[in-house]
Amino acid sequence: MRSKIPRYLLAVLALGAVAQIGQVLLLRELLMVFHGNELSIGLILSAWLLWVGMGSRLGAVIVGRLNRPLFLLMITGGGILLALPVTILLIRGLRGFFDVMPGAYISLPDMVISCLLLMAPACLLIGAHFVLLSRVWREADHAEDTSGAGKTYIGEAAGNMLGGILFTFVMVHHLDSFQSAVLAGVLMIFAVLWMTRQRGKGMPTLPSGSRPVLLGLLAVAILVVPFLGHVDQWAYRMQWQHFAPDYPLVETHQSKHGTISVVQRGDQYSFFQSGHLVFSTAGPEVIAPGLEEQEAVIFAHLAMVQHRQPEQVLLIGGGLRGTLSEILKHPVERVDYIEMDKVLTEAAMPYASRATLEALADPRVRLIHTDGRLYIKTSDRRYDMIIVDVPDPATAVLNRFYTEEFFEEAAALLGPDGVFVTSVTSTADLRGTAIANRNATIYHTLVGAFSRVLPAGERTMFYFATNAPEQVSVDVLTLTERFRDRRIETEGFSEHHFHTLLPESQLQRVNWVVRHHGRCPEAHLEGPGAVPLRPGTVTEQEAAELLLPPVEPRYFINSDMKPIAYYYTVMVWDDLARTGHREAFRWFLHVEPWWVLPLVFIPLVAVTGLRAATRRTGRRPDTFWAILFTVFTTGLSTMALQIALLFSFQSVYGFMYEMVGLIIAMFMGGLALGAFITHRYVTDKANLNRLTGVQLLIALVAGLVALVLPWAAAVPWTAAIFLLFSVLTFVSGLVNGVHFPLAAACCMALSGRAEKSTGIVYGVELFGACCGAALASIVITPILGITACCLLAGIANATAFVVLLISRRSYA
C-alpha cells in the first residue's frame, strides 16, 4: 500500500490546493465587483460549497453508471483548467449583465444570482473530482469500505492548507489572477498524468489516446501563461468600462490589501481598492486645490481648530487626498501619518498634487506604513489630536475604525486635553432610517469613550470628541478666533467658511436627532422622530440628554464583535443604488436570539418520530437521518467558526484580503490532522458512540471559542494575537476533521455502498457549510455579533449530540 499512496496522494493534494487557490481567487474577484462588501463573503462561500456538494453527489452517480473513473478524472481535470480563468473573465464583466448605475452597488438579490451562476461550473467539477479520486483510491487498495474517501478527505484538506500557503506567500505577490488560475489547472492535469504514469497489473491507466490529449492541453496552458498578463489588463479595462465608463482605467497594482485601480477624469485621479473608493485627488499639474480636495480641506481645518494648541497629531488615512498638507498649515510640531498600504502610496505618488508631495517631504511628517488600528493598539506615544480620515464603514475592514474598542484605544493615546475627530457621509437633517441609524450609532458609541462628543455637518457629519469639555466647540465665533490667531493662508478655506458650515439651526436639528435616536426598542426600524420646531441650543441639548432613556445597545452601539454600523452603511448604499430591496435588510433586523429554539426543537421531534417508526417497521431511518444531521451541523459549525475567526482576525489586523488564504490554510491543516488521526488510529470507525462523543466535543470547542475570542482580540501584543488566532483556528479545524471518517463509516454500515456514502456525507457536510456561511456573514455577525456565530455552532452540535443519543439504540 505504501508504494501506491504517494501517487494517489499527489493527485489528492493537487485537488485540495487547486480548490483552495480557486476559491480564494474567485472570492477576491467577486469582492472587487461587490465593493469589498464582506456580506458577500457568505454568499460566495455558500455558492461554492453548495455546488461542490452537488458535484460530489453528481460524481457518485456518474461513476456508478459509467464505471470509468480515470476517464472522468481526465474530463474533470481538463474542465477545471478551463473553468477557472473563464469564470474570472465573466466576473470582470459581471456588472455589464445587470441594469445598475455606474459606481452603484449591486443589490443583494443580484449578488445571490451572480454567485450561484458563476460558481457552478468549476465547483461541480471539483466536487466530482473528489468522489472520483475516492473511488480510484478505494479500488487501488482493494477495499470495500469508505477508507478511500477518508484518505481523500485527509489529502484534500492537507492540499487546501498547502494551496492557502502557496497563494498567500507566492501567488498573491508575483502572479495575476489569470496566471494563478491557469497554473492551478496545470497542477491538476499534471497530477492526473502522474497518477497514471506506471503500467502493470492493478495499476490504473488512462483510456487509449487520452494521455496525448492531456499532454497537449498541459503544453498549451504552460505556453500561454506569459501572455496572460495582457489578458488580465484587458479584463480590468473591460471591468471599469462597466463600473465607471467616464473614468478610464490608468493602471492597476496588486497589493496584499487588495487590487488597487487608478482611474482618471480630467485633472482628477481616483484610487479604488478592491472596488471601493479610497480617495480622489487633483493631479500634479493643479496648483490650488479644487473640488477634488475641497472636502479634505474643510475636514482638516474644522478638525484642527477643535484644539487650542495642537502640536502632536496622529492622522490615520486621508493624507494622499490633501488632508495632510492642510494640517501642516497649523502650528504643529509633528504629524504621524498612518497609511496602511505602501503599494497605494507608491501608486499615488505620480498623480499626487504638489501640495501633497511637499507635505510628505516636510520634516515634521513621519509616514508610517502599518494598519492604523494595530498602531493605535500597540503605540505608547501621546497625541494632542487623533484625526481619522478613512471612508465610511461600508466594509468590516473600515468598520474597525468606528467601534467602541477603537474609540477607547484612541482615547488612551490622547493627552489630558486631547481631541479625537472623525467623519462620515450624511444627509440633510439625517433623513432616511439607515443613515440616521448609522450616524446615531457612531455618536452613541463615541459617548461611551469620551465625556463630550459634538456632532456637526450636513452632507458630511463630523464628530469632535474629548475628555476635556472646553477644548471642542461648534461655536462659530470661538472657532473663527482660533483660526484667525494662527494666521493661516490657504486657497481653499477662510474664516468665513465657519458661518457656512456651522449654521445654528442646522446644528440644533442634527444634534437633536443623534442624541434622541436609538433610545426605544423599535428605533432601528422606525427611524428618528420629527425634530421639534425649537429643539434648543446644543448646550441645552447636552444638559437635557442626561435625562433621556438609555440607548438600545444591541442596535446602537458598534463594536468589533458586533459591527452593526457596517450593516447600516450597507443599507445606506442599497438605498442609494437600488430601490425595492431595502425590505430584505430590514427583515434581517427583526432577527432575535430565541429564533434558534425552533431549529433545536424540530430535529428532536423528527428523530423521536422516526425512532417510533423504527420500532414498528424494524428499519433504521432514524439512525441514518441522525448521522446525516450530525454531518450537516458539523459542516454548519465548521463554516460558522471559520467566518467568526476571519472577521475577528480582521478586526485586529485588517488585511484579510491577503491573509484569508493563510487563515483557511491553518483551519484546513487542523482538519487534515484530525481526519488523519481518526483514519490511522481508530479501528472501529462505524461506532455511533464515538461519533456521539465527537459531536459533543465539537459543541464544547465552539463554546470555548465563543468565550476566548473577545479576550483574544483585546490582547495588545501582535505576536500573541496571531498565535492565539492560529491556535483557535487550528483546533477548530482539528475537532471538525475527526468527524468525517466516522460519519462516512457509520453511513457505509447502513447503506453498504462506499461511493454513495462518500457522496452523501461529503455533499451534506458541504450543504451544512453553505448554510453556515450564509447565516454567519449575512445575518448572525452584523445583527447578533461574531460571538453568536460560535454559539450557533455550539448549539447546533449540542442538538446533534442529543439526536444521536436518541437514535443510537436502534443502530445497535
Side-chain angles (χ1 to χ4, degrees):
M1 185 181 295
R2 290 184 179 179
S3 64
K4 297 179 182 179
I5 286 179
R7 249 181 324 136
Y8 303 121
L9 184 58
L10 177 61
V12 175
L13 287 172
L15 170 63
V18 171
Q20 187 59 59
I21 292 168
Q23 183 186 81
V24 178
L25 278 174
L26 300 187
L27 180 67
R28 286 163 56 103
E29 291 290 333
L30 283 168
L31 275 175
M32 183 169 177
V33 177
F34 299 153
H35 294 261
N37 183 353
E38 289 90 350
L39 282 183
S40 64
I41 290 179
L43 297 176
I44 298 166
L45 294 179
S46 295
W48 176 279
L49 295 163
L50 177 66
W51 287 121
V52 171
M54 293 185 69
S56 69
R57 182 64 183 138
L58 183 63
V61 172
I62 294 176
V63 76
R65 293 182 179 178
L66 297 182
N67 200 28
R68 300 178 66 187
L70 289 177
F71 174 71
L72 294 172
L73 277 173
M74 180 191 74
I75 293 176
T76 55
I80 291 168
L81 172 61
L82 297 173
L84 284 177
V86 170
T87 303
I88 292 172
L89 186 62
L90 290 173
I91 291 173
R92 297 277 176 93
L94 179 60
R95 292 181 63 91
F97 293 96
F98 295 104
D99 182 20
V100 57
M101 295 182 296
Y105 277 38
I106 293 178
S107 68
L108 189 61
D110 288 346
M111 286 184 187
V112 174
I113 295 170
S114 303
C115 293
L116 288 174
L117 292 179
L118 291 169
M119 292 290 189
C123 294
L124 286 171
L125 292 168
I126 288 171
H129 207 82
F130 174 86
V131 175
L132 296 173
L133 284 174
S134 301
R135 167 71 175 269
V136 171
W137 207 331
R138 180 180 67 80
E139 289 181 345
D141 289 347
H142 304 288
E144 297 297 330
D145 57 13
T146 58
S147 59
K151 293 176 181 178
T152 306
Y153 187 81
I154 296 167
E156 186 199 29
N160 286 147
M161 179 184 68
L162 295 175
I165 293 172
L166 178 65
F167 183 85
T168 301
F169 294 107
V170 180
M171 289 182 162
V172 75
H173 298 288
H174 303 291
L175 300 173
D176 61 50
S177 296
F178 286 95
Q179 290 171 333
S180 298
V182 171
L183 288 177
V186 165
L187 176 62
M188 181 76 80
I189 297 297
F190 176 79
V192 173
L193 289 169
W194 179 267
M195 186 178 70
T196 59
R197 75 190 189 283
Q198 297 180 359
R199 296 179 180 272
K201 184 178 181 180
M203 296 295 180
T205 58
L206 288 170
S208 176
S210 299
R211 184 174 289 274
V213 173
L214 285 182
L215 286 171
L217 187 61
L218 193 66
V220 171
I222 293 173
L223 288 174
V224 302
V225 167
F227 303 99
L228 291 174
H230 300 291
V231 176
D232 186 67
Q233 291 301 314
W234 172 81
Y236 272 130
R237 288 193 295 272
M238 176 191 67
Q239 184 177 48
W240 277 98
Q241 287 175 358
H242 296 301
F243 183 83
D246 295 332
Y247 290 77
L249 181 66
V250 177
E251 60 186 28
T252 60
H253 300 268
Q254 294 298 324
S255 162
K256 68 181 183 179
H257 303 289
T259 300
I260 297 168
S261 304
V262 185
V263 300
Q264 180 184 8
R265 186 178 185 182
D267 294 332
Q268 175 181 309
Y269 292 90
S270 298
F271 295 79
F272 291 77
Q273 195 162 46
S274 300
H276 189 80
L277 177 64
V278 181
F279 66 91
S280 296
T281 181
E285 64 278 5
V286 178
I287 298 176
L291 293 176
E292 300 86 359
E293 296 185 0
Q294 189 58 39
E295 291 184 0
V297 172
I298 291 172
F299 177 67
H301 292 295
L302 270 182
M304 292 303 294
V305 294
Q306 294 300 320
H307 197 287
R308 291 190 180 93
Q309 192 174 357
E311 297 177 349
Q312 304 291 323
V313 179
L314 174 64
L315 173 64
I316 299 178
L320 297 174
R321 75 171 184 139
T323 306
L324 178 62
S325 59
E326 297 300 316
I327 288 175
L328 292 174
K329 294 175 181 178
H330 292 258
V332 297
E333 294 180 357
R334 171 170 171 161
V335 179
D336 288 345
Y337 168 38
I338 307 295
E339 189 60 64
M340 181 170 63
D341 197 344
K342 185 177 181 180
V343 176
L344 177 63
T345 303
E346 294 172 348
M349 287 299 96
Y351 310 105
S353 65
R354 295 179 186 177
T356 296
L357 294 175
E358 291 173 0
L360 290 172
D362 193 299
R364 294 174 293 172
V365 174
R366 187 174 68 139
L367 175 61
I368 307 170
H369 286 115
T370 187
D371 177 63
R373 179 68 189 273
L374 206 57
Y375 182 86
I376 287 283
K377 182 185 285 288
T378 58
S379 177
D380 57 0
R381 188 175 181 83
R382 291 292 178 267
Y383 294 96
D384 298 316
M385 296 197 71
I386 296 178
I387 302 174
V388 179
D389 190 9
V390 299
D392 288 2
T395 68
V397 171
L398 294 170
N399 186 76
R400 303 157 55 243
F401 296 100
Y402 298 91
T403 65
E404 60 179 342
E405 292 87 352
F406 173 71
F407 293 154
E408 289 169 357
E409 291 162 358
L413 282 191
L414 288 170
D417 58 352
V419 175
F420 177 89
V421 181
T422 190
S423 68
V424 290
T425 57
S426 190
T427 58
D429 296 341
L430 293 170
R431 294 183 187 131
T433 300
I435 198 84
N437 285 352
R438 197 272 307 277
N439 292 3
T441 294
I442 293 174
Y443 170 78
H444 294 309
T445 306
L446 273 167
V447 167
F450 296 94
S451 61
R452 191 182 191 200
V453 180
L454 289 179
E458 186 172 22
R459 193 165 61 92
T460 299
M461 175 161 282
F462 306 97
Y463 298 91
F464 312 122
T466 184
N467 286 319
E470 298 303 318
Q471 278 284 15
V472 298
S473 176
V474 289
D475 178 66
V476 171
L477 296 179
T478 300
L479 300 181
T480 300
E481 183 181 356
R482 291 181 185 179
F483 186 82
R484 188 186 298 125
D485 289 345
R486 295 175 190 179
R487 300 179 180 179
I488 296 170
E489 295 182 3
T490 180
E491 293 288 338
F493 196 90
S494 71
E495 61 185 64
H496 303 293
H497 277 79
F498 294 110
H499 294 275
T500 303
L501 295 170
L502 302 172
E504 180 64 25
S505 59
Q506 194 269 343
L507 277 174
Q508 292 178 9
R509 292 194 300 270
V510 166
N511 273 265
W512 191 93
V513 172
V514 296
R515 294 176 191 277
H516 285 77
H517 188 44
R519 298 181 184 273
C520 65
E522 299 298 318
H524 61 291
L525 299 173
E526 298 172 354
V531 180
L533 292 177
R534 296 182 179 180
T537 66
V538 173
T539 303
E540 291 171 346
Q541 290 187 41
E542 285 185 281
E545 186 176 5
L546 300 175
L547 304 177
L548 295 176
V551 172
E552 292 289 328
R554 178 178 166 187
Y555 295 107
F556 289 94
I557 297 296
N558 190 41
S559 69
D560 288 342
M561 291 293 112
K562 193 171 68 173
I564 190 68
Y566 149 54
Y567 190 80
Y568 290 146
T569 306
V570 173
M571 293 179 66
V572 171
W573 280 105
D574 186 74
D575 286 346
L576 293 175
R578 296 281 294 248
T579 59
H581 301 296
R582 67 178 66 181
E583 289 305 315
F585 288 104
R586 286 176 56 85
W587 186 88
F588 289 142
L589 289 174
H590 288 86
V591 171
E592 297 289 344
W594 63 263
W595 285 15
V596 74
L597 295 179
L599 302 179
V600 174
F601 181 72
I602 292 172
L604 296 178
V605 172
V607 75
T608 303
L610 289 171
R611 180 78 176 91
T614 297
R615 293 174 181 173
R616 294 193 301 269
T617 63
R619 297 178 181 178
R620 295 176 292 185
D622 63 320
T623 304
F624 190 77
W625 183 88
I627 293 170
L628 292 184
F629 181 71
T630 65
V631 173
F632 173 85
T633 57
T634 300
L636 184 146
S637 67
T638 297
M639 192 50 62
L641 288 173
Q642 226 174 334
I643 293 291
L645 290 165
L646 281 171
F647 273 64
S648 298
F649 185 89
Q650 180 177 254
S651 70
V652 179
Y653 278 89
F655 48 91
M656 189 181 72
Y657 191 81
E658 178 205 28
M659 299 297 289
V660 62
L662 182 60
I663 296 169
I664 295 176
M666 289 187 290
F667 190 92
M668 299 310 296
L671 198 74
L673 180 60
F676 174 77
I677 290 172
T678 304
H679 175 78
R680 184 69 179 271
Y681 297 107
V682 178
T683 54
D684 182 17
K685 297 181 184 63
N687 187 314
L688 206 60
N689 290 328
R690 286 197 177 94
L691 187 64
T692 305
V694 169
Q695 211 67 45
L696 179 61
L697 178 63
I698 295 173
L700 293 174
V701 168
L704 179 63
V705 173
L707 291 174
V708 173
L709 210 52
W711 173 80
V715 173
W717 304 287
T718 56
I721 293 171
F722 185 81
L723 180 61
L724 280 169
F725 274 97
S726 299
V727 171
L728 289 174
T729 303
F730 188 83
V731 170
S732 299
L734 180 70
V735 295
N736 283 279
V738 171
H739 184 271
F740 180 84
L742 298 179
C746 290
C747 210
M748 167 70 182
L750 291 175
S751 69
R753 298 172 62 183
E755 272 69 53
K756 179 181 179 181
S757 299
T758 300
I760 290 175
V761 171
Y762 191 64
V764 170
E765 182 181 68
L766 290 176
F767 179 66
C770 166
C771 296
L775 284 172
S777 65
I778 299 174
V779 181
I780 305 298
T781 297
I783 306 302
L784 300 178
I786 293 174
T787 303
C789 290
C790 305
L791 295 177
L792 173 67
I795 292 170
N797 283 282
T799 303
F801 167 73
V802 177
V803 165
L804 281 174
L805 286 179
I806 294 172
S807 67
R808 67 178 181 175
R809 290 187 180 180
S810 64
Y811 181 80

